[in-house]
Amino acid sequence: MTTMNAIRWTRHFEENTPLNDALTLPGSACLLPESVRRPLAESLAVFQLGETGGGTRLRRHAAGLAAEAGWSGYPQAIDRFIAEEQSHGRLLARLVAHLGGSLRRKQWSNGLFRQLRGLAGLEFAIQMLLTAELVAEVYYGMLYLRAGDPAVRRVAGKILRDEVSHLAFQREFLAARLLRLTPAAQRLWCWQFVAVHAVTAVAVAWDHRHCLRVLGVTTSDFRRRSGTACAAFVRRLRGELAAAETQGAVS
Ligand SMILES: [Fe+2]
Ligand SMILES: [Fe+2]
């Protein structure tokens, strides 16, 4: 039986999530020029929308998995994970307000992501989430280094740390689930994952091109960094799969 340590993750989210609502933003007004502030606020409003979903489908999928041996704790971990994403939504809403921007209720790529997540089972839903999180890792990393506003830097730094944990959470889940497949099927999964991620990175780079420009990042640079982040993720995932196979063969 291969599973993941859902209890540890539940505890992690319960301890970490309240820190996001407690995070204080620097009190001073935003000093960025309008030409920088506006594209930043518009771009962040799109990410804010992506963090605000209710997670209904994800919870339903996770509840279905709970019947399998060793997965009874997963729905609770997913529940806390969704709560953490929603805390990102609240944090980003405060940041968009700080930048003088307005929140969005609809956006094409966000709607597309939600539809795709509902298409197939839990593994596909997690894959689509993970794809967005890998892109977010690069995006928040760039904001943290380049935005030049203390509030943006503080929020981007905190969300970046959380998303790095989320990547580990999804990796632990996928490693446990992919172990049920043959090595050839695992390779095929990794291949399609990299392909879907590459297409997503192209779409995000184009969608956020104005924000990237004011950060001094070209869209091709964003795509390249996203590809590097994805390759690193897949390398670690394959390493974990190989280690688990070896452990299984020994025990
Ligand atoms: Fe998030
Ligand atoms: Fe996340």
Side-chain angles (χ1 to χ4, degrees), residues 3-17 54-55 58-66 70-86 122 126 129 133 162 165-174:
T3 184
M4 66 185 289
N5 193 339
I7 293 173
R8 184 176 70 83
W9 280 108
T10 299
R11 216 174 291 134
H12 164 80
F13 293 131
E14 283 174 351
E15 283 169 12
N16 185 61
T17 300
L58 200 54
R59 281 196 181 91
R60 197 169 54 231
H61 284 311
L65 183 62
W71 289 94
S72 60
Y74 189 66
Q76 197 176 20
I78 275 292
D79 193 61
R80 302 301 187 273
F81 162 77
I82 292 165
E84 182 149 304
E85 293 295 18
Q86 289 167 342
L122 177 59
I126 293 295
L129 250 178
E133 289 180 318
D162 288 1
S165 291
H166 294 181
L167 294 180
F169 174 61
Q170 318 299 11
R171 197 171 54 242
E172 200 175 314
F173 168 82
L174 285 170

Side-chain angles (χ1 to χ4, degrees), residues 156-225:
K158 178 63 174 76
I159 296 183
L160 178 61
R161 279 199 299 281
D162 288 1
E163 296 301 343
V164 168
S165 291
H166 294 181
L167 294 180
F169 174 61
Q170 318 299 11
R171 197 171 54 242
E172 200 175 314
F173 168 82
L174 285 170
R177 302 305 289 168
L178 292 178
L179 268 178
R180 300 171 308 152
L181 307 179
T182 63
Q186 288 173 5
R187 280 197 295 278
L188 190 64
W189 186 92
C190 289
W191 180 85
Q192 66 80 31
F193 173 66
V194 170
V196 170
H197 175 273
V199 173
T200 306
V202 169
V204 173
W206 183 83
D207 203 20
H208 294 264
R209 61 195 181 284
H210 302 304
C211 173
L212 294 176
R213 186 171 38 77
V214 299
L215 292 176
V217 179
T218 64
T219 52
S220 59
D221 194 24
F222 184 82
R223 291 197 305 269
R224 194 173 56 249
R225 290 186 200 202

